[in-house]
């Protein structure tokens, strides 16, 4: 899922300082599961904003609402009137949701309430870790199901580098070395010989490097 | 073109000729300044001239901005010293690297050390975006393809002069997983590397084991291994390397020796303590050189004495490696 992190109140407060009536719009999917911008977090942010603005003697017209997804028109369109009734929106969805809102409501300022951080999973309660960089050319078949693009600090194709020590990455001693994980996993699978081949230079044109990515599925078009 | 003992030369650099003629080679390292000051290069070069056969020019080592390795390599050529230009994948994509290689060859550079590069979080611009379009192994592949197949990485033919480098790489025998290290070296050989400079060696028995395993894989006939060595400057430096530098293995014995070196010198005599440490550090380095020299497959040593280039002449002298061989023009 998409993992996000709430922005500091100070930053959000600053963004909406000049607006009277503000909608805090939560998103009920990824950011709800990672406790950054779901219904509960949107409510919390709205009340924090109200309190902070009250102390400054400013308008406390902060309303909150949450929709299932801010990345699909079918969930965005029904709140047209609600959005029309406010001066600005703080979206606690990921960057996709913020942009979905901005695209739909052309004349309404939409501000991000979270930092969209990575594609990952909660590995244990309270710990979210990156797993995928959406490079567009999956090589997990070659690396034992562990992604070096996302999980190696240098996205090495032929690791581990000389900075792998005691299973950890030199960049951060708390981070497992992705290539040590790959080594251990392939070893368990009896496929260590996979590591003997030189993995060629990666084609990054399918990644962000190739420009805005788009998929057209004729079979799904109306 | 062939060398002194008939081995075919592919580039003809001094480094290649000495290695192929069977000389025990000594390379050094020069860290460019964090300024545009040419005189720093000239001073450091003066310590290394005639005591080493070729000199590595680091490429923004530890991700700290420094004068570029290509410019410094050209300065060394003008000073009559053969450079080994280092090239990392951290700051340049395949377009920039190939462009630099064309330029470096045109300027007379003939040896290239291909590295992944230290992560920017260690340097003075931790907010920088890193590149890592290639890694050290795919870089080696690309440099080799440009030379031997006269093709750019994309497969297009290089029309006209191709850049011809004697291709080097690094190896850290002490990183994990230890048992994979010789195989990873094998991958570099497969990619086309011709010489290797290792990480700093203090744990000689472990390095010996690494070399034995490389020999068992048949790698030592295919690549020249230069053992990386360097002087410890102080007790604090020894402790720091032992505990805080990933991939570094400093046995307790050397830490004890550094401690003992100043045992009879009072704390307040800082100058005497510093000199005693430096003497001991240089001595240990020379001893390690003599030990690694005995290990089958070690073709030379690479002395890393960055920011202490002035120690190199004494190290080479004590290790009994002077004078350096001369080549006929």
């Amino acid at each position: 899922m998409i993992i996000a992190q709430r922005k500091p109140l100070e930053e959000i407060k600053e963004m909406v300082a000049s607006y009277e009536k503000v909608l805090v719009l939560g998103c009920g999917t990824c950011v709800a599961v990672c406790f950054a911008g779901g219904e509960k977090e949107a409510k919390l942010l709205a009340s924090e904003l109200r309190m902070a603005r009250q102390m400054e003697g400013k308008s406390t017209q902060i309303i909150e609402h949450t929709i299932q997804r801010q990345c699909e028109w079918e969930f965005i369109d029904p709140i047209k009137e609600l959005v029309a009734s406010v001066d600005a929106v703080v979206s606690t969805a990921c960057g996709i949701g913020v942009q979905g809102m901005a695209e739909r409501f052309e004349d309404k300022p939409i501000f991000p309430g979270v930092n969209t951080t990575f594609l990952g999973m909660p590995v244990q309660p309270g710990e979210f870790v990156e797993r995928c960089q959406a490079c567009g050319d999956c090589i997990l078949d070659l690396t034992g199901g562990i992604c070096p693009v996302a999980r190696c600090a240098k996205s090495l194709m032929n690791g581990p580098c000389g900075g792998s020590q005691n299973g950890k990455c030199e960049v951060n001693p708390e981070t497992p070395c992705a290539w040590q994980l790959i080594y251990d996993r392939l070893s368990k699978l009896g496929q260590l010989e996979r590591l003997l081949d030189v993995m060629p230079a990666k084609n990054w044109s399918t990644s962000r490097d190739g420009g805005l990515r788009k998929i057209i599925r004729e079979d799904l078009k109306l | 073109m062939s060398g002194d003992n008939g081995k075919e030369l592919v580039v003809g650099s001094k480094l290649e000729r000495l290695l192929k003629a069977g000389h025990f080679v000594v390379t050094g390292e020069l860290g460019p300044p964090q300024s545009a000051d040419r005189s720093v290069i000239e001073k450091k070069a003066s310590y290394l001239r005639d005591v080493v056969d070729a000199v590595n020019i680091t490429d923004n080592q530890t991700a700290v901005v420094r004068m570029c390795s290509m410019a410094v390599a050209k300065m060394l050529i003008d000073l009559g010293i053969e450079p080994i230009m280092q090239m990392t994948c951290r700051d340049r994509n395949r377009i920039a690297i190939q462009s630099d290689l064309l330029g470096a060859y045109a300027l007379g550079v003939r040896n290239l050390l291909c590295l992944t590069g230290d992560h920017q979080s260690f340097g003075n611009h931790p907010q920088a975006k890193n590149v890592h379009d290639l890694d050290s192994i795919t870089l080696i592949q690309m440099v080799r393809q440009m030379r031997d197949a006269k093709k750019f990485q994309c497969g297009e033919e290089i029309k006209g002069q191709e850049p011809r480098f004697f291709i080097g790489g690094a190896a850290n025998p002490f990183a994990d997983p230890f048992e994979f290290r010789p195989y990873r070296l094998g991958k570099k050989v497969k990619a086309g590397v011709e010489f290797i400079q290792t990480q700093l060696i203090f744990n000689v028995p472990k390095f010996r084991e690494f070399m034995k395993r490389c020999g068992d894989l048949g790698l030592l006939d295919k690549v020249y291994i230069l053992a990386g060595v360097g002087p410890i400057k102080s007790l604090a430096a020894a402790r720091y390397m032992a505990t805080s530098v990933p991939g570094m293995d400093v046995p307790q014995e050397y830490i004890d020796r550094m401690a003992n070196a100043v045992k009879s010198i009072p704390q307040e005599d800082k100058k005497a303590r510093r000199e005693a440490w430096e003497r001991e550090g240089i001595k240990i380095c020379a001893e390690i050189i003599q030990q690694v020299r005995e290990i089958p497959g070690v073709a030379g040593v690479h002395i890393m004495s960055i920011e202490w280039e002035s120690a190199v002449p004494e190290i080479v002298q004590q290790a009994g490696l002077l004078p350096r061989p001369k080549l006929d023009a």
Side-chain angles (χ1 to χ4, degrees):
Chain A
M1 74 176 97
I2 295 172
I3 309 287
Q5 206 169 17
R6 233 287 300 279
K7 276 183 178 285
L9 179 66
E10 223 23 62
E11 195 182 335
I12 299 171
K13 204 179 78 186
E14 202 57 39
M15 289 175 193
V16 295
S18 61
Y19 299 95
E20 281 283 309
K21 193 169 178 190
V22 177
L23 165 67
V24 174
L25 186 65
C27 183
T29 308
C30 306
V31 291
V33 183
C34 68
F35 306 97
E39 189 174 6
K40 248 166 68 185
E41 294 76 26
K43 272 190 181 152
L44 185 67
L45 172 58
S47 84
E48 281 179 63
L49 269 177
R50 265 191 297 270
M51 281 201 291
R53 286 170 54 132
Q54 191 170 33
M55 281 167 70
E56 291 172 6
K58 282 187 179 157
S59 156
T60 54
Q61 294 184 68
I62 312 284
I63 56 172
E64 72 249 10
H65 184 71
T66 295
I67 58 175
Q68 191 54 37
R69 277 197 278 287
Q70 292 183 35
C71 57
E72 287 193 73
W73 304 134
E74 63 172 292
F75 296 103
I76 295 178
D77 288 340
I79 57 163
K80 216 166 156 184
E81 281 167 24
L82 180 64
V83 173
S85 73
V86 299
D87 302 317
V89 178
V90 174
S91 159
T92 60
C94 69
I96 307 166
V98 176
Q99 292 182 68
M101 289 292 294
E103 193 168 335
R104 221 35 159 194
F105 303 107
E106 282 179 335
D107 53 0
K108 197 66 64 182
I110 313 285
F111 298 105
V114 301
N115 290 318
T116 306
T117 316
F118 49 77
L119 305 183
M121 64 185 285
V123 289
Q124 54 177 323
E127 188 177 341
F128 303 92
V129 186
E130 182 168 19
R131 286 289 184 260
C132 177
Q133 270 188 10
C135 73
D137 184 15
C138 193
I139 53 163
L140 286 170
D141 54 321
L142 304 174
T143 56
I146 292 158
C147 179
V149 177
R151 296 171 74 172
C152 166
K154 300 174 183 173
S155 294
L156 296 185
M157 288 294 107
N158 294 282
C161 76
S164 176
Q165 194 95 79
N166 304 318
K168 302 295 182 197
C169 171
E170 66 175 351
V171 173
N172 181 348
E174 310 240 302
T175 306
C177 166
W179 278 98
Q180 175 77 57
L181 295 177
I182 293 168
Y183 182 87
D184 293 343
R185 173 116 169 105
L186 290 179
S187 177
K188 276 191 199 126
L189 293 174
Q191 297 177 1
L192 265 185
E193 73 283 350
R194 279 191 188 280
L195 292 186
L196 300 182
D197 295 328
V198 173
M199 246 209 272
K202 188 168 167 60
N203 172 6
W204 295 106
S205 69
T206 58
S207 189
R208 187 212 59 80
D209 309 76
L212 182 67
R213 291 175 279 177
K214 190 170 163 177
I215 296 170
I216 306 275
R217 286 272 305 268
E218 294 297 340
D219 56 329
L220 297 176
K221 280 192 162 179
L222 292 177
Chain B
M1 187 162 54
S2 67
D4 293 357
N5 67 357
K7 281 196 185 163
E8 202 187 329
L9 297 174
V10 286
V11 172
S13 72
K14 181 178 167 193
L15 179 64
E16 183 193 14
R17 290 168 70 191
L18 288 174
L19 284 169
K20 290 191 174 168
H23 291 287
F24 188 79
V25 160
V26 181
T27 56
E29 194 155 295
L30 187 154
Q34 297 180 55
S35 72
D37 190 349
R38 186 188 172 98
S39 66
V40 177
I41 310 295
E42 284 159 358
K43 184 161 182 218
K44 289 184 174 185
S46 71
Y47 297 125
L48 299 170
R49 180 198 303 281
D50 302 327
V51 300
V52 298
D53 304 312
V55 174
N56 286 39
I57 314 297
T58 51
D59 176 10
N60 298 295
Q61 86 264 14
T62 65
V64 170
V65 176
R66 292 165 186 281
M67 193 185 287
C68 83
S69 58
M70 194 187 335
V72 178
K74 167 67 173 143
M75 287 177 218
L76 287 204
I77 293 171
D78 294 344
L79 292 165
I81 296 172
E82 179 161 292
I84 300 169
M85 189 172 109
Q86 297 194 180
M87 174 65 74
T88 72
C89 303
R90 179 193 55 230
D91 312 320
R92 302 172 190 82
N93 66 11
R94 64 192 80 180
I95 301 171
I97 293 176
Q98 291 179 98
S99 161
D100 278 2
L101 296 182
L102 298 181
Y105 184 82
L107 287 172
V109 179
R110 294 294 179 267
N111 308 301
L112 189 79
L113 190 77
C114 302
L115 304 168
T116 295
D118 297 318
H119 195 266
Q120 74 277 8
S121 59
F122 295 109
N124 59 357
H125 291 73
Q127 296 189 336
K129 190 172 180 183
N130 62 25
V131 179
H132 298 300
D133 178 20
L134 306 175
D135 61 21
S136 58
I137 293 181
T138 50
L139 171 60
I140 288 165
Q141 235 174 8
M142 181 177 82
V143 178
R144 186 73 186 244
Q145 175 180 308
M146 290 175 87
R147 186 187 79 191
D148 291 357
K150 279 192 76 161
K151 281 181 180 163
F152 289 109
Q153 198 273 339
C154 61
E156 259 173 40
E157 185 195 341
I158 301 172
K159 295 184 181 116
Q161 177 65 52
E162 75 283 12
R164 300 186 64 78
F165 295 103
F166 190 46
I167 305 168
N172 184 354
F174 308 107
D176 290 322
F178 177 69
E179 61 278 15
F180 184 61
R181 291 293 146 186
Y183 290 98
R184 187 153 190 269
L185 177 57
K187 285 177 82 164
K188 292 196 176 185
V189 170
K190 220 187 259 186
V193 85
E194 291 159 312
F195 71 94
I196 288 286
Q197 292 171 323
T198 76
Q199 166 71 291
L200 280 175
I201 295 161
F202 292 102
N203 188 338
V204 176
K206 196 166 179 186
F207 175 62
R208 191 178 289 118
E209 175 61 24
F210 169 81
M211 288 298 287
K212 188 187 161 292
R213 294 184 186 196
C214 290
D216 293 344
L217 294 177
L219 297 174
L220 300 179
D221 302 329
K222 297 175 185 152
V223 64
Y224 296 99
I225 310 274
L226 307 185
V229 297
I232 307 172
K233 210 168 183 178
S234 66
L235 178 58
R239 286 192 176 133
Y240 178 76
M241 284 196 281
T243 57
S244 305
V245 182
M248 194 85 100
D249 185 340
V250 184
Q252 187 61 35
E253 163 198 357
Y254 295 121
I255 300 170
D256 293 344
R257 276 181 63 176
M258 292 303 280
N260 289 336
V262 294
K263 229 164 67 183
S264 55
I265 306 171
Q267 286 278 356
E268 52 285 0
D269 197 346
K270 292 211 166 90
K271 184 166 178 276
R273 286 168 72 88
R274 195 179 64 232
E275 285 169 0
W277 273 326
E278 291 185 359
R279 267 197 308 279
E280 190 66 13
I282 287 172
K283 191 160 169 251
I284 290 171
C285 185
E287 287 171 20
I288 291 175
I289 291 176
Q290 283 161 341
Q291 290 168 27
V292 296
R293 201 179 172 177
E294 301 303 318
I295 299 173
V298 173
V301 283
H302 175 54
I303 304 173
M304 285 171 269
S305 190
I306 282 235
E307 300 313 319
W308 191 17
E309 286 84 351
S310 60
V312 177
E314 185 59 33
I315 293 168
V316 182
Q317 172 70 40
Q318 281 190 28
L321 293 169
L322 288 179
R324 300 308 309 147
K326 294 265 182 266
L327 280 173
D328 302 327

